[in-house]
Amino acid sequence: MTDPIIKFENVAKRFGDIRVLEGLDFTVNRGEKVTIIGPSGSGKSTILRILMTLEDVSDGIVWVDGTPLWHEGAAGALKPAGEAHLHKMRTKLGMVFQSFNLFPHMSILRNITEAPVQVLGLSKPDARARAMDLLEMVGLADQAGKFPHQLSGGQQQRVAIARALAMRPEILLFDEPTSALDPELVGEVQEVIRKLAEEHDLTMLLVTHEMRFAREISDRVCFIDAGAIREQGPPEDLFTNPKEARTQQFLQAVLAD
Amino acid sequence: MLFGFEWDTTNGWTLAVSILPILLLGLWVTLKATVLGFAIAMVLGLVLAALKAAPSRLVSWPARAVSEFLRDTPLLIQLFFLYYVLPEFGLVLPAFLTGAIALGLQYSAYLSEVYRAGIEAVPRGQTEAAVALNLTPARRFSRIVVPQAIPRIVPAMGNYLVSIMKDVPVLSVVTVLEMLNVATIIGDRTFNYLVPLTMVGGLYLIMTLLAAQGVRLLDRALPKTGIPLK
């Protein structure tokens, strides 16, 4: 049963002389929950940023739901995508950032209703109803009228998850969603992500340093190093029985404490 | 007599009272030049800022050169150029308009830097979140970046508003009858410079203090909930 919704085909990303990704092949199936782990600077976040159209690719093709993300035109004559194509492709994707990136000048409710109203053309009452349902889901319905700075980091990140879900993406990207949080706030955000993973057929792609959490929620874990996937498999296999020396080394280092 | 008002030279106090209406007429011209010049600077500054930020160097480089030229040459030279040189090429503008344009041009270069700094101070994550939510480039700018840039821009804008008002007397050299020009005319005719010039200084002080206070009030009235201002 393979139904790829994301497919990286020989993708490279270079910033000047720095090669962040090189020859990356990577597939995610519809509804799959995939975690990417690896040392910092290995290109983990770049994969998510390319999917969210925040970085373009230097080489190769990224397919999202059967359509090239960064290219348009007929097969064999692909050219770089314009804003209109990217706009269409983004409707399938949503992203949760490490630093939340809530809009500080908008109330919690406005943060969530803004894009559904502006982009999807939802009426304000409909967008508000959708937002309140989502706030209910992340346990913050009573905070709707507040502003981001009045919330704790954990609460802000839960709002950010609700904001991303309000656009009804098929694929949700999590870029180290708990890395910027105080340790005691990590749990509440993980709880929301775990619930999402269990109850929704959303495709989820998560970059994290929390190995135990990765193990709990993923169907598959990918270890990436020096710009390409070095090893991947179900979490039980990869965490308990890594095959590659580089993976063993990495896991030893991060699981030491 | 000037503008139909007679002066009373009995003593300094009577002179002061009698020329006040004349100076206020001059002040009115000063204020008009300030407002028109600043309006030109605000619009042109935004255009310059946008051009300087353009991805193509073919656009950004000339914009940067123009902005640098406007900032690094004296206002007086720019004013003389507009007033004396342009007519040689057949472009004759009234003195007041020429003066306002000269002020507007020079300050557009300053304001373009204010805009640029204000926009760049908005964290990149804000635009990225807006992209992730699929807002169009125009809406990213107008609904996410601009509202967060304005509270950062207003205080600096206020300083330039006060500054442009203080530069208006330069226009007296091309015959604009702003406050200083009016005062020197009164001085020439009454042989008393002390009173009119002191009054001009006082009126200027009142105007700049009012403008600064206005900017402070505007700054306080702006919504900036949670926007981290450094």
Side-chain angles (χ1 to χ4, degrees):
Chain A
M1 181 215 76
T2 54
D3 177 14
I5 189 163
I6 298 171
K7 195 169 174 204
F8 280 66
E9 225 178 70
N10 198 20
V11 168
K13 176 63 184 174
R14 308 178 193 104
F15 294 99
D17 290 339
I18 304 162
R19 294 152 175 254
V20 182
L21 299 175
E22 201 63 55
L24 175 73
D25 289 307
F26 175 56
T27 306
V28 178
N29 290 318
R30 202 176 299 276
E32 204 180 7
K33 323 306 185 207
V34 176
T35 302
I36 304 173
I37 60 169
S40 52
S42 57
K44 305 185 296 287
S45 293
T46 307
I47 294 177
L48 301 192
R49 293 175 59 80
I50 286 174
L51 282 167
M52 199 59 258
T53 71
L54 299 172
E55 310 280 3
D56 61 358
V57 295
S58 310
D59 217 338
I61 298 177
V62 178
W63 301 83
V64 171
D65 212 3
T67 312
L69 178 66
W70 276 106
H71 299 84
E72 53 187 328
L78 291 174
K79 57 184 177 63
E83 176 61 27
H85 176 79
L86 295 177
H87 186 79
K88 205 175 69 196
M89 296 303 291
R90 278 187 211 116
T91 57
K92 298 178 194 294
L93 294 144
M95 184 155 174
V96 174
F97 298 85
Q98 181 179 355
S99 49
F100 333 135
N101 296 346
L102 293 182
F103 303 131
H105 57 300
M106 296 181 179
S107 71
I108 298 306
L109 189 68
R110 263 286 299 287
N111 261 279
I112 304 177
T113 58
E114 180 73 6
V117 170
Q118 299 286 341
V119 181
L120 306 179
L122 248 62
S123 75
K124 278 188 183 155
D126 286 353
R128 207 167 299 146
R130 186 186 280 195
M132 288 313 294
D133 283 349
L134 288 165
L135 282 175
E136 192 78 49
M137 193 198 87
V138 299
L140 292 171
D142 52 338
Q143 310 287 326
K146 292 196 179 166
F147 281 82
H149 74 283
Q150 297 172 295
L151 269 53
S152 73
Q155 291 174 319
Q156 289 191 45
Q157 193 60 301
R158 282 145 68 197
V159 171
I161 293 171
R163 181 175 69 171
L165 287 171
M167 296 301 282
R168 305 255 164 103
E170 294 173 45
I171 303 162
L172 195 49
L173 312 167
F174 293 90
D175 187 9
E176 303 195 24
T178 57
S179 296
L181 295 175
D182 291 337
E184 77 268 24
L185 302 176
V186 168
E188 62 187 65
V189 173
Q190 290 186 343
E191 193 47 51
V192 168
I193 300 174
R194 186 179 297 123
K195 208 164 75 179
L196 263 181
E198 284 165 5
E199 296 172 7
H200 290 261
D201 47 10
L202 205 64
T203 305
M204 284 171 45
L205 192 51
L206 173 82
V207 167
T208 187
H209 290 291
E210 307 272 344
M211 296 302 148
R212 191 181 308 158
F213 182 58
R215 191 168 182 161
E216 281 170 17
I217 69 151
S218 324
D219 300 319
R220 180 156 54 102
V221 177
C222 300
F223 173 71
I224 179 174
D225 188 32
I229 308 270
R230 302 299 163 191
E231 184 168 359
Q232 53 180 320
E236 309 81 56
D237 294 356
L238 193 110
F239 282 118
T240 49
N241 192 16
K243 302 209 168 37
E244 304 284 326
R246 189 68 191 85
T247 320
Q248 291 165 1
Q249 226 175 14
F250 173 74
L251 287 175
Q252 239 163 33
V254 293
L255 296 176
D257 47 15
Chain B
M1 193 181 85
L2 192 62
F3 302 144
F5 291 96
E6 292 288 351
W7 38 74
D8 179 353
T9 50
T10 317
N11 61 44
W13 298 109
T14 58
L15 180 64
V17 171
S18 63
I19 64 171
L20 184 62
I22 308 173
L23 289 178
L24 287 179
L25 284 173
L27 175 63
W28 179 236
V29 175
T30 301
L31 290 178
K32 280 196 292 186
T34 303
V35 170
L36 183 58
F38 203 65
I40 293 170
M42 279 176 75
V43 175
L44 221 58
L46 193 58
V47 174
L48 263 182
L51 291 179
K52 281 197 279 189
S56 163
R57 255 180 236 173
L58 237 66
V59 180
S60 70
W61 201 86
R64 227 167 270 173
V66 167
S67 164
E68 204 62 31
F69 173 80
L70 288 173
R71 277 195 298 169
D72 295 344
T73 52
L75 175 61
L76 194 55
I77 293 178
Q78 293 172 20
L79 182 62
F80 274 8
F81 198 89
L82 291 179
Y83 192 70
Y84 294 114
V85 180
L86 285 189
E88 289 184 21
F89 297 93
L91 187 62
V92 184
L93 294 172
F96 175 79
L97 193 59
T98 309
I101 290 172
L103 286 171
L105 276 175
Q106 177 153 71
Y107 278 84
S108 71
Y110 292 125
L111 292 193
S112 74
E113 285 301 302
V114 174
Y115 287 123
R116 190 189 54 75
I119 289 166
E120 279 178 6
V122 177
R124 211 166 54 130
Q126 290 293 307
T127 310
E128 293 185 347
V131 171
L133 290 168
N134 215 355
L135 295 175
T136 58
R139 289 213 173 99
R140 278 174 225 157
F141 189 68
S142 67
R143 306 192 74 103
I144 306 300
V145 176
V146 169
Q148 296 186 59
I150 287 174
R152 296 176 159 98
I153 285 172
V154 164
M157 289 277 246
N159 291 340
Y160 281 118
L161 178 65
V162 170
S163 178
I164 203 171
M165 183 157 35
K166 291 193 293 179
D167 270 347
V168 172
V170 172
L171 308 196
S172 62
V173 299
V174 292
T175 75
V176 175
L177 287 171
E178 50 69 57
M179 196 162 41
L180 179 69
N181 201 358
V182 171
T184 50
I185 291 172
I186 294 170
D188 292 344
R189 300 204 191 153
T190 62
F191 307 108
N192 185 335
Y193 290 97
L194 174 70
V195 170
L197 288 181
T198 307
M199 289 175 76
V200 168
L203 286 170
Y204 249 110
L205 190 62
I206 292 168
M207 293 318 297
T208 50
L209 287 176
L210 282 178
Q213 187 60 26
V215 171
R216 211 167 299 143
L217 288 177
L218 176 63
D219 189 34
R220 209 173 301 162
L222 280 173
K224 44 177 163 274
T225 324
I227 298 175
L229 300 168
K230 268 173 260 158

